[in-house]
Amino acid sequence: MARAGNPIRKAARRIRIEKIDILDMDLPHVNFEVTCSAGTYIRTLAADIGEFLGCGAHLDQLRRMECCGFGIEKAITLKTLEQLAGSGEVAGCMVGMSDALPKMAEHVAENGLIEKVRHGAAVTTADISPPQDGSSEGLVKIVDATGGLVAVLNRSPDSVKYQYCCVF
């Protein structure tokens, strides 16, 4: 659309800006850090700030420092990843699938339920009690006794039956 000269309008969405810290200012360049909710377009935020100030603005760099509880301090470079893969030690820096879903309700399943899930049989609240904390809007991760992710299921508030999102 942009190449054809048609402006692209992003749909408005509710976001939350918790904090904006100016780290360095050497006009016309401003280096800042934002703590915000998911779904925030930082490029749009910069353009909106520039419009408000009457001078215009755009990003020339963008670096995500944290997302969903995973911070840059635990990240590794592609070169390091290649070295670890070459030496067979890459598993030590990988995050397990279950650990990658830290805010999702978890149900440790016994072998009977695991077999039921692996064969795609119906799973209901008789098999899995609904999360009491309201976490992840009805999503629940099914793990085995070792913490390995078996499946992710979803249940609507008005249903006793879980829907399959994915099975591993």
Side-chain angles (χ1 to χ4, degrees):
M1 289 177 69
R3 289 184 181 142
N6 300 324
I8 300 171
R9 304 291 291 172
K10 294 181 184 91
R13 62 172 64 189
R14 184 170 292 279
I15 60 163
R16 186 179 66 253
I17 305 294
E18 294 178 22
K19 180 173 67 166
I20 298 179
D21 289 329
I22 296 176
L23 305 176
D24 182 46
M25 193 173 344
D26 182 17
L27 294 176
H29 300 280
V30 178
N31 185 11
F32 63 96
E33 186 174 285
V34 177
T35 304
C36 58
S37 63
T40 304
Y41 292 111
I42 302 301
R43 287 182 172 82
T44 302
L45 176 65
D48 289 349
I49 291 170
E51 184 178 332
F52 177 80
L53 295 174
C55 60
H58 70 277
L59 294 183
D60 97 357
Q61 292 183 37
L62 176 61
R63 184 174 186 197
R64 185 176 299 230
M65 304 300 287
E66 181 180 331
C67 182
C68 302
F70 296 96
I72 194 119
E73 69 279 352
K74 290 189 177 181
I76 61 172
T77 65
L78 184 56
K79 182 177 181 179
T80 300
L81 181 62
E82 289 171 342
Q83 291 169 345
L84 289 169
S87 67
E89 298 176 17
V90 73
C93 69
M94 302 299 284
V95 174
M97 290 191 303
S98 181
D99 296 333
L101 304 168
K103 295 181 180 179
M104 188 177 292
E106 178 178 291
H107 178 82
V108 180
E110 296 188 17
N111 289 340
L113 178 58
I114 291 172
E115 286 305 308
K116 194 174 189 179
V117 167
R118 289 201 170 131
H119 289 96
V123 177
T124 69
T125 54
D127 300 302
I128 304 168
S129 298
Q132 298 301 312
D133 61 1
S135 60
S136 301
E137 302 169 6
L139 291 171
V140 61
K141 60 183 173 183
I142 309 301
V143 299
D144 61 23
T146 66
L149 186 61
V150 175
V152 175
L153 307 179
N154 189 22
R155 186 184 65 83
S156 299
D158 57 345
S159 175
V160 297
K161 190 174 178 183
Y162 283 87
Q163 300 298 314
Y164 285 88
C165 295
C166 52
V167 178
F168 301 97

